[in-house]
Amino acid sequence: MKNSSILCLLALAGCATTSPQVSELIGQELKDRLQHSAVSIRPVTSPAKLVERTKGQSVGNFLFASIVSSVAMSGTGARSTSEFQANTEIGQTFGQQLNTALPTGSEAEGGGSADTLLASRLSERFSVAPDLPTTPPVELTVSTIHWELGYESFLGSSDYSLGYEFEVRAVGRDADKPKTLKSVRCQGVAPEKMPLEAWQSDRYAAVGRAANEIADQCFQRTMRAFGLE
């Protein structure tokens, strides 16, 4: 009964869901749609918060998960060697799952995101609408998937790197029913690496510089994907 309860806790990780594939526009069809539509950019009303994944938090998570795992193994009341081994495996698995589920970072007090900069560049690009739009309007949205300062190596280096992932989505309003015309992902790691304190200095000035470069790269990638270089 106790083993079943522990297994139930492991299920808290959740289940992955899948959604049907949506056919997107490509090539000249996508280019024509954007050139003959009134294109708007949805404002980024809540800029992404920079997340800091520090070594100290990782150590704390590991110690907490280890303690909980030990308590789970010692409280199962095994009556035989086989039960003890089974409970040990369950406890270890639970500890690993818990360590994975714990928050890996915390939001920084500063450090702007590239999402607002990217949205601004898109707004400038599509500031002039066609005189006589011949296709339904299109809205571009910018969303942040990953924006994090994380340590490079747990033992070998004190450097942190800035990882990012953004998505630009072109949504058509055909017959008042939204449809994704094209989605573009921009992801990677900023080339500059430095200790966390250096990233944080001068109100995260280094993050701001990197955000500008990332926004430029993501804008160019989006324009290529749209066929509008």
Side-chain angles (χ1 to χ4, degrees), residues 92-164:
Q92 290 174 343
T93 301
F94 176 61
Q96 293 169 357
Q97 293 286 346
L98 177 60
N99 189 36
T100 301
L102 289 171
T104 58
S106 57
E107 292 183 353
E109 293 298 324
S113 175
D115 53 1
T116 54
L117 298 173
L118 178 55
S120 176
R121 284 160 172 75
L122 291 169
S123 295
E124 292 173 3
R125 171 61 178 79
F126 293 99
S127 59
V128 179
D131 293 334
L132 295 172
T134 57
T135 55
V138 175
E139 182 182 53
L140 303 183
T141 64
V142 178
S143 57
T144 303
I145 300 170
H146 182 66
W147 185 241
E148 178 188 87
L149 277 175
Y151 59 86
E152 283 283 295
S153 171
F154 195 78
L155 297 175
S157 172
S158 62
D159 284 346
Y160 281 65
S161 60
L162 179 63
Y164 62 91

Side-chain angles (χ1 to χ4, degrees), residues 202-223:
D202 194 19
R203 296 185 177 181
Y204 292 84
V207 174
R209 292 192 298 269
N212 266 301
E213 296 176 1
I214 291 168
D216 284 339
Q217 294 172 6
C218 291
F219 174 77
Q220 295 299 331
R221 179 181 178 85
T222 301
M223 290 301 99

